[in-house]
Amino acid sequence: MLSRLKIQEHIPLAPFTTLKVGGPARYFADAACVDDVRAAVDFARSRGVPLFVLGGGSNLVVADAGFPGLVLRIGLSGIEERREDGKAIFEAGAGEDWDTFVAHTVAQGCAGLECMSGIPGTVGGTPIQNVGAYGQEVAETIDSVRVLDLESNQIQELCNPACEFAYRSSIFNTSRRGRYVVLAVRFALEPGGAPRIAYADLKKHFAGRDGTPSLAETRQAVRQIRLSKAMLIVEGDEDCRSAGSFFKNPVVSEEQYRTLAQVAASRGLEVPRFTAANGQLKVPAAWLVEQSGFGKGYARGAVGISRRHALAVVNRGGATAAEIVALKDAIQARVEETFGIRLAPEPVFLGFEKG
Ligand code: EPU
């Protein structure tokens, strides 16, 4: 398809995000095909402005001043399916809606993504931060990621190990940030496979029932649990006007955990813990936030904490990015003061670069 890229100017970005804050993009374009992506890259280069690739905007905080470069919304669509060595291979365009794609794989009876039902955003965003929920993460089923390499201008197929997936991270948001534009993602799923009922919330949901739940029931259960925590986007529900989890769950060593446990014990508290990779422990950021004085429903002007989950910073209506960031800073400072742990934010921040 030949590019008919239309470059728009001064387009407000808040409506393209789930948090609904932030100013305009100097330039904005929709990419419907790979040639559009190339044309956008050329445009940004010729103007000497930065390029930002927008997916579903569900993990994004845009600065009040907006972004001085080109925001490229990825609308690459299409889902292809085939069988290969007993696996169901699904290849989805980066612009496909994630939850619609998950629903499709579940309807085809293929296991591997069902626990990630109800996550807002697009397919192309999932490898970037290795999206995960309820006992599954995309790193487990991604076969490869098709990208446009902005250094060589070539399309490349990056295999799973090349993406260096880890907890909420990959080369795309660390060592090679900004180098690639994700065009499509290929997943290898299990035809007729059983759902993964491993996460405590899911086990609780299905407790006492006979037989294994189906993939469809698991998808339904995950969506229900997410809804109860306002982690499912429902129009008009201000508790989900957020960027999802605002902080990563800190991963600590046994020794660090002991120190943390002592601090907590001195306040009569016990720190929840979950096992992480390499003998380390994951501590819920939500708990640290809550125990530092930012409980569910905390309000500070137009911003606050969701009434249904302590890890979601919400825009209660008319908030600015500056207010969101001020609350983030206050939470980080208080958690560090109380527990000696510096929380790392999870969303992408756009337009906050100095200069
Ligand atoms: N907790 C609290 N207060 C709360 C909520 C939770 O203290 O208000 C504590 C509890 O001890 C609970 C623990 O935190 O057992 C874990 O909570 P939850 O199961 O809700 O998950 P989470 O660790 O807060 C992570 C992901 C979510 C993902 C869920 C479910 C991160 C940063 N977040 O949240 O992902 O949906 O697990 O798997 O890893 C996202 O990344 O944006 C996201 C929503």
Side-chain angles (χ1 to χ4, degrees), residues 120-135:
T122 55
V123 166
T126 61
I128 311 274
Q129 56 148 341
N130 182 18
V131 160
Y134 300 100

Side-chain angles (χ1 to χ4, degrees), residues 20-37:
K20 309 270 184 254
V21 302
R26 176 67 186 84
Y27 301 105
F28 185 95
D30 274 303
C33 63
V34 177
D35 284 335
D36 284 349
V37 179

Side-chain angles (χ1 to χ4, degrees), residues 137-273:
E137 55 182 26
V138 291
E140 296 171 62
T141 43
I142 285 180
D143 184 49
S144 63
V145 181
R146 183 170 315 142
V147 296
L148 176 66
D149 180 353
L150 299 185
E151 258 176 36
S152 65
N153 283 328
Q154 301 289 317
I155 292 177
Q156 286 179 19
E157 205 71 51
L158 300 177
C159 65
N160 179 307
C163 300
E164 294 176 23
F165 291 119
Y167 169 62
R168 291 295 183 272
S169 121
S170 71
I171 57 166
F172 306 113
N173 65 358
T174 57
S175 58
R176 309 279 164 79
R177 182 192 293 272
R179 171 157 172 186
Y180 302 112
V181 177
V182 175
L183 303 175
V185 187
R186 192 188 295 158
F187 295 86
L189 305 182
E190 205 66 56
R196 167 118 20 115
I197 314 291
Y199 203 83
D201 283 341
L202 268 180
K203 283 188 176 157
K204 203 168 109 198
H205 183 96
F206 289 118
R209 65 163 273 166
D210 294 335
T212 316
S214 67
L215 290 172
E217 286 169 323
T218 306
R219 169 174 164 77
Q220 227 14 69
V222 167
R223 286 180 58 92
Q224 239 177 62
I225 296 166
R226 292 192 74 91
L227 181 66
S228 72
K229 298 185 181 194
M231 291 284 183
L232 194 72
I233 304 286
V234 177
E235 220 37 71
D237 178 351
E238 64 175 58
D239 278 322
C240 59
R241 206 184 294 126
S242 77
S245 298
F246 208 86
F247 299 100
K248 292 182 196 168
N249 287 329
V251 178
V252 300
S253 64
E254 281 273 4
E255 198 185 325
Q256 287 170 308
Y257 180 83
R258 272 196 297 276
T259 312
L260 177 63
Q262 271 168 15
V263 176
S266 70
R267 306 175 68 222
L269 299 168
E270 198 180 323
V271 194
R273 49 188 270 181

Side-chain angles (χ1 to χ4, degrees), residues 22 40 45 64 91 108 137 214 228 293 320 331-332 343:
R45 279 190 184 140
D64 293 316
E91 189 170 303
Q108 302 298 306
E137 55 182 26
S214 67
S228 72
T320 62
I331 294 172
Q332 281 175 311
L343 290 181

Side-chain angles (χ1 to χ4, degrees), residues 284-330:
W287 186 89
L288 295 170
V289 169
E290 220 168 354
Q291 299 305 329
S292 303
F294 298 95
K296 295 185 195 70
Y298 172 90
R300 176 195 274 216
V303 297
I305 306 279
S306 157
R307 299 182 191 91
R308 280 143 54 202
H309 201 293
L311 205 47
V313 167
V314 296
N315 168 6
R316 297 232 168 267
T320 62
E323 289 171 296
I324 297 278
V325 170
L327 178 56
K328 167 195 90 76
D329 291 345

Side-chain angles (χ1 to χ4, degrees), residues 68-153:
L70 169 64
V71 170
L72 182 65
R73 188 161 59 151
I74 297 292
L76 308 175
S77 61
I79 298 175
E80 280 173 28
E81 184 188 347
R82 61 173 192 281
R83 296 292 154 114
E84 214 176 273
D85 303 328
K87 292 275 188 189
I89 308 292
F90 287 87
E91 189 170 303
E96 287 287 340
D97 174 67
W98 171 253
D99 191 47
T100 309
F101 173 59
V102 173
H104 176 72
T105 64
V106 165
Q108 302 298 306
C110 296
L113 304 180
E114 64 282 356
C115 295
M116 291 176 281
S117 294
I119 295 180
T122 55
V123 166
T126 61
I128 311 274
Q129 56 148 341
N130 182 18
V131 160
Y134 300 100
Q136 277 175 343
E137 55 182 26
V138 291
E140 296 171 62
T141 43
I142 285 180
D143 184 49
S144 63
V145 181
R146 183 170 315 142
V147 296
L148 176 66
D149 180 353
L150 299 185
E151 258 176 36
S152 65
N153 283 328

